Amino acid sequence: MVQHNTNAGPEQQIPPVTPSHAHDEDLLRMYIAECSNWGRWGSDDEVGTMNLVGPAERIAAARTIRKGISITLTLPYDQNGPQPGGFRSNPQIFVTASGTDHTSGAQDPLPAGFGAARGFGFSDDVLVMPTQSGTQLDSLSHIFWEGRMWNDRPASLVGSKGAAANGIENLTGRVVMRGVLVDVAAHRGVESLAPGEAILPEEIDAILSSRGVEVGAGDALLVRTGFLKARRGTWGDFAGGDAPGLSLHMAPWLRRHDISAVVTDTWGVEVRPNEIGYFQPLHIVSLVHGGIVFGEMFDLEALAEDCAEDGVDEFMLVASPLPLTGGSGSPVAAVAIK
Amino acid sequence: MVQHNTNAGPEQQIPPVTPSHAHDEDLLRMYIAECSNWGRWGSDDEVGTMNLVGPAERIAAARTIRKGISITLTLPYDQNGPQPGGFRSNPQIFVTASGTDHTSGAQDPLPAGFGAARGFGFSDDVLVMPTQSGTQLDSLSHIFWEGRMWNDRPASLVGSKGAAANGIENLTGRVVMRGVLVDVAAHRGVESLAPGEAILPEEIDAILSSRGVEVGAGDALLVRTGFLKARRGTWGDFAGGDAPGLSLHMAPWLRRHDISAVVTDTWGVEVRPNEIGYFQPLHIVSLVHGGIVFGEMFDLEALAEDCAEDGVDEFMLVASPLPLTGGSGSPVAAVAIK
Amino acid sequence: MVQHNTNAGPEQQIPPVTPSHAHDEDLLRMYIAECSNWGRWGSDDEVGTMNLVGPAERIAAARTIRKGISITLTLPYDQNGPQPGGFRSNPQIFVTASGTDHTSGAQDPLPAGFGAARGFGFSDDVLVMPTQSGTQLDSLSHIFWEGRMWNDRPASLVGSKGAAANGIENLTGRVVMRGVLVDVAAHRGVESLAPGEAILPEEIDAILSSRGVEVGAGDALLVRTGFLKARRGTWGDFAGGDAPGLSLHMAPWLRRHDISAVVTDTWGVEVRPNEIGYFQPLHIVSLVHGGIVFGEMFDLEALAEDCAEDGVDEFMLVASPLPLTGGSGSPVAAVAIK
Amino acid sequence: MVQHNTNAGPEQQIPPVTPSHAHDEDLLRMYIAECSNWGRWGSDDEVGTMNLVGPAERIAAARTIRKGISITLTLPYDQNGPQPGGFRSNPQIFVTASGTDHTSGAQDPLPAGFGAARGFGFSDDVLVMPTQSGTQLDSLSHIFWEGRMWNDRPASLVGSKGAAANGIENLTGRVVMRGVLVDVAAHRGVESLAPGEAILPEEIDAILSSRGVEVGAGDALLVRTGFLKARRGTWGDFAGGDAPGLSLHMAPWLRRHDISAVVTDTWGVEVRPNEIGYFQPLHIVSLVHGGIVFGEMFDLEALAEDCAEDGVDEFMLVASPLPLTGGSGSPVAAVAIK
């Protein structure tokens, strides 16, 4: 358990970066060096920043429950989801036993030698869904950088059978901690941030300060851009296209505050197009090297409304992923309990 | 919210039943009449006994968190699961992007027009699993009786597209309440109850009494038989075969105590073979008519060990199902938080 | 084997029909009565007009092979297929073992106890595709009319487990016969017929006559509209939208000529929008009642080019469907052998 | 097109090999050198021995059709197939629209905006099957040896998206040629060869001679062991276990005769356990280097009965695989036309 953060330092150390920055690679490698947690919890570790969440943090999380309400943060998993098709399709269920079978007499006798139906009937179905197709957590085997993944393991451990290490199943049961909502859209007074708009550490600090809430080691940071609400239903390129999101320059901030999980209402947490000439550089720094759990396409609308109403932006977040052995991620029935 | 239970009565009202009972149908219909909640929360209700869990119950649940630990109750979802194949296969992930692709150069350039890889790589996968293949919750559209499902809706609402009513998505965000573990195997001093052994209300009461814990309206009852532990790995007919479990005569007890959810470490909650000449009669009474949420194939081992160690059998149960629109059930990343 | 056609009569018996026709139902039922083959081959029959193809027909088909070439009529099955997503997605393969696994060393040792790789490697994959998503044959269980399917069987025999009768597996090995191409687009001198343009018997007769080819009992009729070529790549609503195709008034002609299979380069054989106030009325008449095998989304381009070049429009058609037990249809690797 | 075989030589050149052979690797590499077709049809070739089948061969194939019968060689694709589960499951169809939906009124109105049903109904389904799970052809991208596949292409071209070269789609439309059945079980007077029993070139020659049939360049060789019939229904380890089959020493024979395709009624063509210390060495020699198409789990029973009855062991084989872009293999609706 890490309760203290010896790396903390002033925000102004973040270097100014512009699109014409000639030193993208230098910046990326500097952030990697600054933010890496490789080896911090031993060379065998497969859970990254979940190490930051221990009994004290979970008791603190439980103490945020004051109203006794549970708010779901998960989009419906169905054919109306955000995926445009192709590489990642939307979730489907295939019905293998139906009520219409039952009412048509096709379930009498029952299957599997269960005998005469005598009025009994049932439905059954098979779920088919890309693990990254809707509200989901990334595993620490989801992203690679130069042939390595979290904790310096070789990417080649992730073959056609799934991840032999760092799979999503390692996170099951662990994503239970205090969460803090940062509603950037509300702070800016807009319905939604626009694609390409980055969220910088200064703004996060300003929002936390104005709302009178602090984040501590092991907390989950939930950042609302409003983009999911703006695109809901007519998704367009919501999944995979340009999007607002966290700046790469959030990486040192996340590391200094020892944030355990970072969640947004966008497809990829970070701003797109990316700010430097690397694809998803915040993933490279904070997930691959930092071991921070990323949560994507969370539906933060009901939570944001509740927080706006009662002025309380903290809650217990329970977002345990399914133990999909070797999985790159998992759908998650996330709840904020206040 | 229902805090009081006006139907409560003495246990001895349960009629003696033997395999030679000539009046199976009478008994079943009597229990249906006694235990039905149809219409109790309005004719539009799709969540059944989740109505019993409100703010007071959730605050009470939160107050059970004293140690700050989270215990997973979910079996791994993979090819080593309990299913024998056929009707319900074990979960699979299909890898659509791999670390070996990355290390072999097959991800450079990145797909979807994301440009040169510059060191970046990723994995991706598709989950294919019967919703009832592992640790799972039943929806209120999963079981039918004489053409009807929960709250008197026609079974024909569940066609090849899934459930147009009572689907599992209605329960998402709601399965958050106080849970109480009843370790029948420990009480009997056996590793596991044997197939065919039924658990009667008297025994549940005796265990609760001996452990000094009470159950109240809205609580979830988690009953451990030890059968999952006994069969784990070499599953045989664990899923679908004979099993220990709750007696049909638990139905009035569940109704009188206004239990919101009943969970076991077996495939079907109730004892198999069934005690009367109907298939899964407790499902007929308590799920179809009672609207009680059933949880099956939960891994209660770590929880039972912890409860044995600290003598505390209550906890906050968070077992929110995925919002699989129209689904007959859902895998669930259930946690007991103590 | 039916070699003679006692129902033949002059084309002019076809009634004039307009969109304002007040007697759609009368027309439909008249055609059903005129064209039905229910009972013709016994009450147990599950193969319909495949009964028309026997040894003599197959020998005649073989005699059309003069050049020794085999022309594929099947579109690639992949994500570039004609489906817009949703109800029917395009075919996918999920790779379960890859060459990149092999070159990364992830296949050494081999799986399944096969021991050290010693240089050996392999790929493997899983096919996921709607049976009606690309070039495909309809089974005689694919379409229902007023609760019945081919040969007066109840539609309720087709439940969530597939068709208990009339499934596509019945046609396996049988779709081997003489085929005749009718290139309507070439005859009209257009690249493609337009959506809504119907093909009437008179035009079929005129084309056959001008090309000097006859059709006989048991033959397959392959009708090219050019629509697949026109839409290929940028499919739009090709699958499911408006389309050129056979007129409903082809039904008596198909019946009189005892055509065994009718194939087009469109998604649904018949013209869309339909000519009367019933959905896919030619399916109702000729498939449900006539027992004629329908082939859809065939790629007739290479075949049409070859026929134009050598002036020979007849060939051996081999289009045996996969024996998908209970299937509503099947992808098919159809070839025209000339 | 290759009509003549300049490599032909006497059978006695095959070296004697025993289980104690100390030079497995030498033997394997000698056979590779002797049998390789890499570069024979150009460095771009992706169809291997299908180059051996041209117009003359197809006309010769057509001339074998004398009775006008079509015999299916394909096992049903369903849950009763030979796979034991796990890595390769048996084929499944998932019903997405059913007759019970239709009779229950759940298809009125029709989906997709097709309006009022007016009596119309339909079924639809999705096929899910490993391409190697039943009767199937291997692609030339299915097997690798020391990082290479057919025609010296790198195995890394086969990633999680499928084969970028040598995929099964290259063979679509081409597997149409003269086939010759060699019924080894009948020749030996046994119901089935036993697992581990190898078939050597001398025996093939003896059977061909005794039956008065010859094989020529471009022909397909179909070898019946009886093993599929013996195991049918109670498959046990039929798929993946020990099996009778072709000896590795068939490789030079296949090359000398320029056989285009080799087919058996076993899961893997060659004898198991393998005769030398390499896994599936005949695949390494004849598929990877020879470019010969392998067909597996063909149901040769009806064909063998017919050949026994009429004394004619030659036929036209049509076994065109589905054009599954990048696939490692394909189910195939194979027919023998006599």
Side-chain angles (χ1 to χ4, degrees):
Chain A
M1 197 60 36
V2 172
Q3 303 294 350
H4 305 290
N5 185 338
T6 57
N7 294 328
E11 301 296 339
Q12 63 268 27
Q13 289 177 352
I14 296 173
V17 177
T18 71
S20 62
H21 195 290
H23 302 296
D24 288 356
E25 184 175 347
D26 291 348
L27 177 70
L28 187 68
R29 294 198 187 278
M30 183 184 75
Y31 277 169
I32 289 172
E34 181 178 350
C35 301
S36 175
N37 283 316
W38 284 7
R40 179 173 171 185
W41 300 289
S43 61
D44 289 345
D45 181 70
E46 302 186 51
V47 302
T49 50
M50 289 302 106
N51 285 291
L52 298 167
V53 189
E57 287 76 14
R58 291 210 169 95
I59 288 175
R63 286 196 185 129
T64 67
I65 305 176
R66 295 179 199 111
K67 298 200 295 188
I69 63 167
S70 167
I71 301 172
T72 177
L73 309 179
T74 302
L75 287 173
Y77 294 114
D78 59 32
Q79 287 287 298
N80 299 316
Q83 298 299 325
F87 177 55
R88 291 174 183 155
S89 57
N90 282 306
Q92 276 190 284
I93 54 168
F94 293 117
V95 172
T96 54
S98 70
T100 55
D101 288 357
H102 166 65
T103 58
S104 299
Q107 288 189 350
D108 193 0
L110 295 167
F114 285 137
R118 300 195 71 184
F120 185 92
F122 70 105
S123 66
D124 233 276
D125 34 34
V126 173
L127 172 63
V128 178
M129 67 178 291
T131 58
Q132 309 265 344
S133 60
T135 304
Q136 125 277 336
L137 292 185
D138 286 350
S139 75
L140 297 180
S141 64
H142 179 45
I143 305 292
F144 316 121
W145 170 246
E146 296 187 335
R148 315 302 287 182
M149 58 176 169
W150 163 245
N151 220 8
D152 205 18
R153 287 198 174 81
S156 59
L157 290 176
V158 187
S160 297
K161 293 298 171 200
N166 293 344
I168 193 69
E169 74 276 18
N170 293 287
L171 306 184
T172 298
R174 291 179 176 271
V175 190
V176 177
M177 72 277 288
R178 180 172 175 264
V180 173
L181 178 73
V182 178
D183 190 338
V184 181
H187 182 72
R188 295 191 188 183
V190 296
E191 192 198 350
S192 171
L193 276 66
E197 289 189 346
I199 299 166
L200 286 158
E202 292 81 354
E203 186 169 21
I204 299 289
D205 283 326
I207 296 171
L208 292 173
S209 174
S210 75
R211 298 285 297 177
V213 61
E214 295 189 348
V215 297
D219 282 354
L221 189 75
L222 290 77
V223 180
R224 180 178 175 272
T225 68
F227 197 53
L228 183 143
K229 183 184 182 186
R231 289 290 188 89
R232 193 162 184 162
T234 51
W235 296 103
D237 69 349
F238 175 82
D242 289 349
L246 297 196
S247 167
L248 167 62
H249 307 302
M250 281 295 297
W253 190 98
L254 295 172
R255 175 63 181 80
R256 272 200 307 277
H257 288 87
D258 263 339
I259 295 297
S260 64
V262 60
V263 167
T264 64
D265 57 351
T266 64
W267 72 273
V269 172
E270 57 191 300
V271 66
R272 287 279 306 161
N274 299 121
E275 300 154 294
I276 66 172
Y278 284 85
F279 183 68
Q280 300 297 69
L282 187 64
H283 281 72
I284 296 172
V285 175
S286 297
L287 191 156
V288 176
H289 295 89
I292 296 178
V293 172
F294 278 41
E296 295 163 343
M297 294 189 276
F298 276 54
D299 179 357
L300 302 175
E301 295 312 305
L303 175 62
E305 284 173 31
D306 187 84
C307 293
E309 191 177 294
D310 69 6
V312 178
D313 299 342
E314 64 173 2
F315 44 87
M316 187 179 208
L317 174 71
V318 182
S320 180
L322 302 179
L324 308 176
T325 306
S328 74
S330 176
V332 60
V335 289
I337 309 174
K338 294 183 69 174
Chain B
M1 196 60 37
V2 172
Q3 303 294 350
H4 305 289
N5 186 337
T6 57
N7 294 328
E11 301 296 339
Q12 62 269 27
Q13 289 177 351
I14 296 172
V17 177
T18 71
S20 61
H21 196 290
H23 302 297
D24 288 357
E25 185 175 349
D26 291 347
L27 178 69
L28 187 67
R29 295 196 187 279
M30 183 185 75
Y31 278 169
I32 289 172
E34 183 178 349
C35 303
S36 175
N37 283 316
W38 285 6
R40 179 172 171 186
W41 299 289
S43 62
D44 287 345
D45 180 71
E46 302 186 52
V47 302
T49 49
M50 288 304 106
N51 284 292
L52 298 167
V53 190
E57 288 75 14
R58 291 211 169 95
I59 287 174
R63 286 198 184 126
T64 67
I65 305 176
R66 296 179 198 111
K67 297 201 296 189
I69 63 167
S70 166
I71 301 172
T72 176
L73 309 179
T74 302
L75 287 173
Y77 294 113
D78 58 33
Q79 287 288 298
N80 298 316
Q83 298 299 324
F87 178 55
R88 291 173 182 155
S89 57
N90 281 305
Q92 276 190 286
I93 53 167
F94 293 118
V95 172
T96 53
S98 70
T100 55
D101 288 357
H102 166 66
T103 58
S104 299
Q107 288 189 351
D108 193 358
L110 296 168
F114 285 138
R118 297 195 72 183
F120 185 92
F122 70 105
S123 66
D124 232 276
D125 33 36
V126 172
L127 172 65
V128 177
M129 67 177 291
T131 58
Q132 309 266 344
S133 59
T135 304
Q136 127 276 337
L137 292 186
D138 286 349
S139 75
L140 298 180
S141 64
H142 179 45
I143 306 293
F144 316 121
W145 170 246
E146 296 186 337
R148 315 302 286 181
M149 57 176 171
W150 162 246
N151 221 8
D152 205 18
R153 287 198 173 80
S156 59
L157 290 175
V158 187
S160 297
K161 293 298 173 198
N166 292 344
I168 194 69
E169 74 275 19
N170 293 288
L171 306 184
T172 298
R174 291 180 175 270
V175 190
V176 177
M177 72 277 288
R178 179 173 175 264
V180 172
L181 178 73
V182 178
D183 190 339
V184 181
H187 182 72
R188 294 193 189 182
V190 297
E191 191 198 351
S192 171
L193 275 67
E197 289 189 346
I199 299 166
L200 287 157
E202 293 81 352
E203 187 169 18
I204 299 288
D205 284 326
I207 296 171
L208 292 172
S209 174
S210 76
R211 298 286 297 177
V213 63
E214 295 189 348
V215 296
D219 283 354
L221 189 74
L222 289 78
V223 180
R224 180 178 175 271
T225 69
F227 197 53
L228 183 143
K229 183 184 181 186
R231 289 293 187 88
R232 193 164 185 163
T234 51
W235 294 103
D237 70 349
F238 175 83
D242 289 348
L246 297 197
S247 167
L248 168 62
H249 307 301
M250 282 296 297
W253 190 98
L254 295 171
R255 175 63 180 78
R256 273 200 305 277
H257 288 86
D258 263 340
I259 295 296
S260 64
V262 60
V263 166
T264 65
D265 57 350
T266 64
W267 72 273
V269 171
E270 57 190 301
V271 66
R272 287 279 307 160
N274 298 120
E275 300 154 295
I276 66 172
Y278 286 85
F279 183 68
Q280 301 295 70
L282 187 64
H283 281 73
I284 296 172
V285 176
S286 298
L287 191 156
V288 176
H289 295 89
I292 296 179
V293 172
F294 278 41
E296 295 164 343
M297 294 188 275
F298 275 55
D299 179 357
L300 303 175
E301 295 311 306
L303 175 62
E305 284 172 32
D306 187 83
C307 293
E309 192 177 294
D310 70 5
V312 178
D313 299 342
E314 64 172 3
F315 43 85
M316 187 179 209
L317 174 71
V318 182
S320 180
L322 302 178
L324 308 175
T325 307
S328 74
S330 175
V332 60
V335 289
I337 310 174
K338 294 184 68 172
Chain C
M1 196 62 36
V2 171
Q3 302 293 351
H4 306 288
N5 186 338
T6 59
N7 293 327
E11 300 296 339
Q12 62 269 29
Q13 290 176 352
I14 294 174
V17 177
T18 70
S20 62
H21 196 289
H23 303 294
D24 288 356
E25 184 175 349
D26 291 347
L27 177 70
L28 187 68
R29 294 196 187 278
M30 184 185 75
Y31 278 170
I32 289 172
E34 182 178 349
C35 303
S36 175
N37 284 315
W38 286 7
R40 179 172 170 185
W41 300 288
S43 62
D44 288 345
D45 181 71
E46 302 186 52
V47 303
T49 49
M50 290 302 106
N51 285 292
L52 298 168
V53 190
E57 288 76 14
R58 291 211 170 94
I59 287 174
R63 287 196 185 127
T64 66
I65 306 178
R66 297 181 197 110
K67 299 200 296 188
I69 63 166
S70 167
I71 300 172
T72 176
L73 309 179
T74 302
L75 287 173
Y77 295 114
D78 59 32
Q79 287 287 299
N80 298 316
Q83 298 298 325
F87 178 56
R88 291 174 182 155
S89 57
N90 281 305
Q92 277 190 285
I93 53 167
F94 292 118
V95 172
T96 54
S98 70
T100 55
D101 288 357
H102 166 66
T103 57
S104 299
Q107 288 189 352
D108 194 357
L110 296 167
F114 285 138
R118 297 194 70 183
F120 185 92
F122 70 106
S123 66
D124 232 278
D125 33 35
V126 173
L127 172 64
V128 178
M129 67 178 291
T131 58
Q132 310 266 344
S133 59
T135 303
Q136 124 277 336
L137 291 185
D138 286 349
S139 76
L140 297 180
S141 63
H142 179 45
I143 305 292
F144 317 120
W145 170 246
E146 296 187 338
R148 315 303 286 182
M149 57 175 170
W150 162 246
N151 221 7
D152 205 18
R153 286 198 173 80
S156 59
L157 290 175
V158 187
S160 297
K161 294 296 171 201
N166 293 345
I168 193 69
E169 73 276 18
N170 293 287
L171 306 183
T172 298
R174 292 178 175 271
V175 190
V176 177
M177 72 277 286
R178 179 173 176 264
V180 173
L181 178 72
V182 178
D183 190 340
V184 181
H187 181 72
R188 295 193 188 182
V190 298
E191 191 198 352
S192 170
L193 276 66
E197 288 189 346
I199 299 165
L200 286 158
E202 293 82 351
E203 186 169 20
I204 299 288
D205 283 327
I207 296 172
L208 292 172
S209 174
S210 74
R211 299 285 298 178
V213 63
E214 296 190 347
V215 296
D219 282 354
L221 189 75
L222 289 78
V223 180
R224 179 177 175 273
T225 69
F227 197 53
L228 183 142
K229 182 184 181 187
R231 288 293 186 89
R232 193 163 184 162
T234 51
W235 296 103
D237 69 349
F238 175 83
D242 289 350
L246 298 196
S247 167
L248 167 61
H249 307 301
M250 283 294 298
W253 190 98
L254 295 171
R255 175 63 181 80
R256 274 200 305 277
H257 289 86
D258 263 340
I259 295 297
S260 65
V262 60
V263 166
T264 64
D265 57 350
T266 63
W267 73 273
V269 170
E270 56 191 302
V271 66
R272 287 278 308 160
N274 299 119
E275 299 154 295
I276 65 171
Y278 285 85
F279 183 67
Q280 302 294 72
L282 187 65
H283 281 72
I284 296 172
V285 176
S286 298
L287 190 155
V288 175
H289 295 88
I292 297 179
V293 172
F294 278 42
E296 296 164 341
M297 293 188 275
F298 275 54
D299 178 359
L300 303 176
E301 296 311 306
L303 175 61
E305 285 173 31
D306 187 83
C307 293
E309 192 176 294
D310 69 6
V312 178
D313 299 341
E314 65 173 4
F315 43 86
M316 186 180 210
L317 175 71
V318 182
S320 179
L322 302 178
L324 308 176
T325 307
S328 73
S330 175
V332 60
V335 289
I337 310 175
K338 295 184 69 174
Chain D
M1 200 60 36
V2 172
Q3 302 294 350
H4 305 289
N5 186 336
T6 58
N7 294 326
E11 300 296 340
Q12 62 270 26
Q13 289 177 354
I14 294 174
V17 177
T18 70
S20 62
H21 197 289
H23 302 295
D24 287 357
E25 185 175 349
D26 290 349
L27 177 69
L28 186 68
R29 294 196 187 278
M30 183 186 74
Y31 277 170
I32 289 172
E34 182 177 349
C35 302
S36 176
N37 283 316
W38 284 7
R40 180 173 170 185
W41 299 289
S43 61
D44 288 345
D45 181 71
E46 303 186 52
V47 302
T49 49
M50 289 303 105
N51 284 292
L52 298 167
V53 190
E57 289 75 15
R58 291 212 168 94
I59 287 174
R63 287 197 184 127
T64 67
I65 305 177
R66 298 179 196 110
K67 299 200 295 188
I69 63 166
S70 166
I71 301 172
T72 177
L73 309 179
T74 302
L75 287 173
Y77 294 114
D78 59 30
Q79 287 288 298
N80 299 316
Q83 298 299 325
F87 178 55
R88 291 173 182 156
S89 57
N90 282 306
Q92 276 190 284
I93 53 167
F94 293 116
V95 172
T96 53
S98 70
T100 55
D101 288 357
H102 166 66
T103 58
S104 298
Q107 288 188 351
D108 194 358
L110 296 168
F114 285 138
R118 299 194 71 183
F120 186 93
F122 70 105
S123 66
D124 232 278
D125 32 35
V126 173
L127 172 63
V128 178
M129 66 177 292
T131 58
Q132 310 266 344
S133 59
T135 303
Q136 124 277 337
L137 292 184
D138 287 349
S139 74
L140 297 180
S141 64
H142 179 45
I143 305 293
F144 316 119
W145 170 246
E146 296 187 336
R148 315 302 287 182
M149 58 176 170
W150 163 246
N151 221 8
D152 205 18
R153 285 198 175 80
S156 58
L157 290 175
V158 187
S160 297
K161 293 297 171 200
N166 293 343
I168 194 69
E169 74 276 18
N170 293 287
L171 307 183
T172 298
R174 292 178 176 269
V175 190
V176 177
M177 72 277 287
R178 180 174 175 263
V180 173
L181 178 73
V182 177
D183 190 339
V184 181
H187 181 73
R188 295 191 188 182
V190 297
E191 191 197 352
S192 171
L193 277 67
E197 289 188 346
I199 299 166
L200 286 158
E202 292 81 353
E203 187 169 21
I204 299 288
D205 283 327
I207 296 171
L208 292 173
S209 174
S210 74
R211 299 284 298 176
V213 62
E214 296 189 347
V215 297
D219 282 354
L221 188 76
L222 290 76
V223 180
R224 180 178 175 271
T225 69
F227 197 53
L228 183 142
K229 184 184 182 186
R231 289 293 187 87
R232 193 164 184 161
T234 51
W235 295 103
D237 69 349
F238 175 83
D242 289 350
L246 297 196
S247 167
L248 168 61
H249 307 300
M250 283 295 296
W253 190 99
L254 295 172
R255 176 64 180 78
R256 273 199 307 277
H257 289 86
D258 263 340
I259 295 296
S260 65
V262 59
V263 166
T264 65
D265 58 350
T266 63
W267 72 273
V269 172
E270 57 191 301
V271 65
R272 288 277 307 160
N274 299 120
E275 300 154 293
I276 65 171
Y278 285 84
F279 184 68
Q280 300 296 72
L282 187 65
H283 281 72
I284 296 171
V285 175
S286 298
L287 191 156
V288 176
H289 295 89
I292 296 178
V293 172
F294 279 41
E296 295 164 343
M297 294 188 275
F298 275 54
D299 178 359
L300 303 175
E301 296 312 306
L303 175 62
E305 284 173 31
D306 187 84
C307 293
E309 193 177 292
D310 69 6
V312 178
D313 299 343
E314 64 173 3
F315 43 87
M316 188 180 208
L317 175 71
V318 182
S320 180
L322 302 178
L324 308 175
T325 307
S328 73
S330 175
V332 61
V335 290
I337 310 174
K338 294 184 68 173

